[in-house]
Amino acid sequence: MSAASEIRVETFANGLTLIAERMPHVRSAAFNLILPAGAAYDPADKRGLAGVLSDLMVRGAGSLDHRQLTLALDRLGLDRSQGVGPLLMHFNGATLGRHLLSALRVYADILRRPHLPAHELEPVRSLALQHLQSLEDDPQSKVLAELKKRHVPAPLGYHPGGTAEGLRAIAIEDVRRQYQTYVHPGAMILAVAGDVDWPALVDTVGALFADWSAGATPPLTLGSRGERQAHLAKETQQTHFGLAYPAVPIGHPDYYAALGAVNVLSGGMSARLFTEVREKRGLCYAVWASYQTFREQGHVFCYAGTTAERAQETLEVVLQVIRSLAQGVQRDEVERVQAGLKASLIMQQEATGARASRLASDWYFLGRIRTFEEIHKAIDELTPDTITDYVRRYPPDDITLVTLGPKPLQWSASL
């Protein structure tokens, strides 16, 4: 049976979309619930509000206080998390299939009837501030946070954790107002994968959520991006840098070629960045590239950590390697990329949590679910020519560079 034939979709009148895939060979079930209530929707003077809201929502709901709610979910054996990204708030969980409907009943209270207790705001704020402070001890995360803020148009590039000033400015009334404005079923997606009984699932979700009135999420207006280069001064023996450049988004005809190009650069220990920068020249202890997509734009992010003395050379070689893609891609590189992407795809198919996340992501970005066969075919169709042609048509221009260390690095578009 194909993956497509096991997937069911139900969209309720209030906008909530339920997607489920039965995986007959497993006894567990996972869910991924997402809604557009992420960090990009924070007020400008209260950055971090969405994250505070998501944390407070699980600190008491319905008839259960914080401790009772935690115990109820623990008794179901639920491995769970919640949080926010640039655009989305998410609630994830995985447990035995027989406990799935009970878990969803608890989450109906979390979504619809959270207490948002005022006495819990300070502990939540304190944890959020500690998380921000931890960036100071993690140069890689600090560089990448600054890079995204400068490269990706505001407010998409803002760090989901917010700012210290924004977090300190949040009052409980702000949290409750944010909840009333953004937490509703109008664009909510609930994806479930694993040991699923579709008739029981759709009936339960309908009973829990169908009478919830839809709201209207205010439109998000994108602003400008930041300056193309920044240096974060820090007296250290090491230099860390991150660079980013645009790519096509998921859903674009060249999406798989873009993904192939990134994986030629950084798809394992035989990828170009690792081989040319680390193995052959010994320039750095860490180097990689990754791809991130929004609905209408994609981006490639690269990172390297090295000694201050070799940082300038490392940057120059990294840029040379990235731009070498336009000179051609080898057949063995494509075969390695295809093997890696297929292995990742197979692992996603076999893990309920990963599969639920893929279902929700596909529906959010594409409005449909890609089948296993469709993705497999697209990977098979990658060739040296398709990847090279993509890189030539979408060269790594408009680069943003952020460095952290004792001194800035010299850089220009001609490097």
Side-chain angles (χ1 to χ4, degrees), residues 142-144 146-148 150 227-232 240-243 400-404:
K142 186 175 178 63
V143 162
L144 292 174
E146 186 69 20
L147 177 64
K148 290 180 180 180
R150 291 177 176 275
E227 295 180 359
R228 293 181 64 187
Q229 186 170 0
H231 177 67
L232 309 176
H240 306 260
F241 68 80
L243 61 90
T400 304
L401 173 69
V402 173
T403 56
L404 183 152

Side-chain angles (χ1 to χ4, degrees), residues 105-356:
R105 292 185 184 99
V106 177
Y107 272 85
D109 280 338
I110 291 171
L111 269 292
R112 300 190 61 178
R113 292 169 286 274
H115 296 173
L116 304 179
H119 69 276
E120 295 275 13
L121 176 58
E122 284 309 316
V124 169
R125 189 200 322 269
S126 177
L127 289 173
L129 287 168
Q130 289 178 50
H131 174 70
L132 279 185
Q133 184 60 38
S134 70
L135 292 179
E136 299 302 319
D137 300 321
D138 184 354
Q140 175 176 318
S141 295
K142 186 175 178 63
V143 162
L144 292 174
E146 186 69 20
L147 177 64
K148 290 180 180 180
K149 184 176 74 172
R150 291 177 176 275
H151 182 74
V152 181
L156 295 181
Y158 291 142
H159 190 274
T163 65
E165 296 79 9
L167 288 167
R168 293 190 182 102
I170 294 171
I172 194 63
E173 292 79 12
D174 300 312
V175 179
R176 292 168 178 166
R177 187 182 306 113
Q178 194 80 352
Y179 168 79
Q180 291 294 336
T181 302
Y182 293 101
V183 181
H184 58 77
M188 190 177 294
I189 300 168
L190 172 58
V192 181
D195 183 10
V196 176
D197 179 340
W198 172 254
L201 176 64
V202 74
D203 286 347
T204 300
V205 171
L208 294 173
F209 294 102
D211 65 340
W212 189 8
S213 298
T217 299
L220 188 66
T221 301
L222 298 186
S224 59
R225 50 166 288 175
E227 295 180 359
R228 293 181 64 187
Q229 186 170 0
H231 177 67
L232 309 176
K234 188 169 185 177
E235 289 304 319
T236 175
Q237 299 298 313
Q238 300 172 335
T239 291
H240 306 260
F241 68 80
L243 61 90
Y245 55 89
V248 300
I250 187 171
H252 190 281
D254 292 311
Y255 164 71
Y256 289 97
L259 203 59
V262 173
N263 278 272
V264 169
L265 289 174
S266 185
M269 296 180 68
S270 57
R272 287 196 187 184
L273 283 174
F274 191 91
T275 300
E276 296 296 328
V277 183
R278 187 174 188 265
E279 294 295 286
K280 289 186 177 180
R281 295 174 174 84
L283 287 172
C284 62
Y285 57 85
V287 60
W288 51 259
S290 66
Y291 169 88
Q292 179 177 350
T293 187
F294 297 98
R295 276 177 170 164
E296 298 179 355
Q297 55 185 273
H299 304 278
V300 176
F301 294 93
C302 302
Y303 164 82
T306 183
T307 61
E309 293 77 12
R310 308 201 71 180
Q312 182 65 46
E313 183 183 359
T314 302
L315 172 61
E316 292 174 7
V317 175
V318 166
L319 287 168
Q320 290 168 10
V321 170
I322 291 171
R323 288 178 171 144
S324 72
L325 290 176
Q327 299 169 15
V329 175
Q330 302 302 311
R331 168 55 63 183
D332 65 325
E333 291 181 305
V334 176
E335 291 173 350
R336 174 185 57 77
V337 167
Q338 289 171 322
L341 292 175
K342 289 178 182 179
S344 176
L345 179 62
I346 290 170
M347 287 187 285
Q348 288 175 357
Q349 286 293 119
E350 295 180 349
T352 56
R355 188 58 188 155

